[in-house]
Amino acid sequence: MKKFLLSVIGMILMTGITFAQQSNKSDSSCSKLYGKSYWHLSAGLNPMTLKTTYIGEDIASESVSTNMTGVSLGFTHGIRMMKTQPFYLEVGAKLLYAFRNEAECEIENIGKTWEMKENLFALNVPVVVTWQFEAIPKVCIAPYLGLNMRCNILGQSKTIDYKYDYHYDRKEYYLYKTDTQKTNWFKKYEGNCNQFNVGLTFGANFTFNRFILGLGYTKDVTKFMREPGVESNIEYFTISGGLRF
């Protein structure tokens, strides 16, 4: 799935560059419609991967990938940078929430015996440049490339162990205790993760009148975890929809 989405984004970007090179117009109907500036309001789905690599003298390099489901909501402000060309600078603010649940059942037909819940809440601030042009009448494509600054507000893991005992008279198990352990990702001596990360982001937006469909990819270039011998970063796709004003 990851390779497929990256291939789609790459094809979109190559198509956009080809259209831009072939176009003889200095201005498109898209840029005329939105003038010097515009706003995007959008919501997105963000499949996320947290990749952690363990490096040590006594062990070989080992990588572990954790997949999370993410959703986002935010706005983008576009500012026209050239009078004669549809070239824009976009700055946004987008809230991102990602989560993952995992459970096991070691005793048949009694429910969960172990459960883990992980979640991350963050604020993304993308700063990108974009070239907007009309591919076909009333349909505009805007490839973009830039940086994403992410402030990690909240991140934690919660593990729950369910303890069961066997009731011999009824010949059934019953829950008598639960043990819960929480780990704060950004607290020292617990998660030891960084609360600020910078990443590379690229993709493209499609405009149909004032409706926006977007497909993008973001990957950290700074470490998410600062523990010695551990390298960890985050990457995620964005599939979004919204309105342009």
Side-chain angles (χ1 to χ4, degrees), residues 45-114:
L45 179 65
N46 305 86
M48 177 182 291
T49 299
L50 173 60
K51 185 176 182 181
T52 305
T53 302
Y54 300 93
I55 303 173
E57 297 180 357
D58 55 340
I59 60 172
S61 177
E62 180 182 0
S63 295
V64 177
S65 294
T66 301
N67 294 321
M68 303 179 72
T69 300
V71 291
S72 59
L73 178 66
F75 67 88
T76 300
H77 182 45
I79 305 170
R80 189 162 183 171
M81 304 299 291
M82 300 174 66
K83 292 183 179 180
T84 59
Q85 300 293 334
F87 183 69
Y88 293 81
L89 173 69
E90 289 187 347
V91 180
K94 301 180 180 181
L95 294 173
L96 171 68
Y97 177 70
F99 59 93
R100 170 179 175 264
N101 296 331
E102 183 179 350
E104 289 184 356
C105 180
E106 298 177 356
I107 306 175
E108 189 176 359
N109 297 326
I110 68 164
K112 295 176 288 189
T113 55
W114 176 86

